[in-house]
Amino acid sequence: MKHWVPINQGTLDLGRDETIRGVHVRVSSSPYDIPRAIRGYYCDDLGKFVIEFRYIEDEPLTKIKADDFTWFEKGSFTGRIYKISIDVDEASAEQVSLVVEEHNHDDVSRVIVDSPMASTAIFENTFERMRNTVDNLIKSKRETDNSRAISAALGQSHESLKESFQKIEN
Amino acid sequence: MKSTSKINWVFRGIYYLQALLIAVASSLAGASQADPAWIAEHAELFVKPHHFLLQWVWLAWILTLLIGVLEIVRRKIGSPWVWQCIHDILDAYKEKVFEDSRFDRDNHHRVTLFQHKKFTLKWWFIPKRGWLVPVERSGWTNRKRRTWFRAPDDADKAEGIAGMIWAMGKTLTVEDLPEINKKTIIMDRDAIANYAKQTWVRENWVRNRLNKGYCAERSFCGFPIENKGKPWGVLVLSSRSPEALANESIEVFDDFVVTALSSLLERKA
């Protein structure tokens, strides 16, 4: 299933204090750089675990290889990350699907993983790889404007994912 | 600032003028194609009008060109209903963000939409490159005040809060600016310098504004506006209160504002 789940922007905490030309200001991401919703699923055709981000506006996408297993699809105009796909087959995950559901009206996402062969470890590895790749983008100064927002959004979903995994295992 | 009634009048005027020009151009083009012998034989009444139109056939090309130019102008102006909607959205945004100050005067808190112009003419004759021009503002007062800010290709030369937001492409919040007024120009020059530094403008510019009787805002917040994935302008919230913008509703409500503005700007023409 591929439900879009709204991202709770209030909890992303993207603001930071900076000094610009000697002036102390509060800086945070542009509203256009913050993903509005997220969804994750296993794409059978590609054999990849995919996480997609939805923004206020769409644009043409360009595919970029981040490392041996990870691909980004970025906006051609803005460089925003719209899609991250990881070759989980390479990581020994044979079948994975991610079901994302909205939880009540508080916009807190609940992520349920439904796969007979999926294990917490595989998802933890997959998720960590995604986050590390995005974090490396920030550190290596190849940072796109919204890398911080993506990293924060993944972090928000990751916590929900853990909960869901524990429920399945129980 | 765009006056909705003026836009409406100009937009409709151009529309009707285009319709008239299309009718005239079509008549001229039709006359050039018509067979004079056939008209003389079957429609004798139209011989003289046809002869008259044939003398002006060359005008069809100029009229076609003019229709095209008017279409560009009409698209530049944008539909009046779009600008009315944008104004209503800015009003609603202001009401939400400055909810606690709703009994203050209209001009104490404002939301202004700036459009970035790569090339524009100031006062219709001075060419300017890379400026942020206010195109719409919340409320019903101070609508004639049009302060432009530099936002050239060289981001280091960007001026004002609006210019800095444009240069950075991020949301900026500046609060607790020093209180300055006309008396401060003589009494406390450091305050003027401090204010100018904190808002990335020139001291002389601040002094001139104060001399004209303008009051200086004490807090600002703004973010960039995009259209079809490309930078279009900036939206700036300003207040005379030093901490009016320390409000979570800015972040939460900007989602609605940005989505609505983006949709409207796409349909502007």
Side-chain angles (χ1 to χ4, degrees), chain A residues 2 5 9 18 24-25 38 50 55 57 61 74 79 89 105 108 110 115 122-123 148 154 156 162 165:
Chain A
K2 299 180 183 178
V5 171
Q9 294 169 57
E18 280 188 18
H24 296 288
V25 290
I38 185 172
V50 178
Y55 296 92
E57 295 201 317
L61 301 179
K74 291 182 175 181
D89 286 347
H105 300 290
V108 176
R110 192 164 69 92
S115 169
I122 291 170
F123 272 100
R148 285 177 197 279
L154 281 174
Q156 192 184 87
K162 261 186 184 172
F165 262 106

Side-chain angles (χ1 to χ4, degrees), chain B residues 21 32 42 50 63 74 89 108 113 118 134-135 148 151 173 195 206 230 245 249 252-253 255 267:
Chain B
L21 293 179
S32 70
H42 296 94
H50 180 240
L63 292 182
R74 204 164 61 91
I89 288 167
H108 283 205
L113 178 65
K118 279 184 185 167
V135 289
W148 296 24
T173 309
Y195 185 92
V206 178
K230 292 178 181 173
L245 293 162
S249 62
V252 177
F253 201 68
D255 192 15
R267 301 190 61 179

Side-chain angles (χ1 to χ4, degrees), chain A residues 3 7 12 23 26 28 43 58 72 81 85 90 106-107 122 124 142 150 155 157 166 169:
Chain A
H3 295 303
I7 287 172
L12 291 181
V23 182
R26 183 93 178 139
S28 57
C43 182
D58 291 326
F72 285 146
I81 299 169
S85 42
E90 289 289 326
D106 57 2
D107 282 350
I122 291 170
E124 287 289 355
R142 283 188 289 136
I150 288 290
S157 303
Q166 282 161 357
E169 286 184 338

Side-chain angles (χ1 to χ4, degrees), chain A residues 21 26 28 32 36 57 80, chain B residues 156 171 173 226 229 255 262:
Chain A
R21 291 193 206 164
R26 183 93 178 139
S28 57
Y32 292 88
R36 265 45 197 166
E57 295 201 317
R80 284 179 199 125
Chain B
D156 288 338
T171 303
T173 309
E226 294 181 9
D255 192 15
S262 296

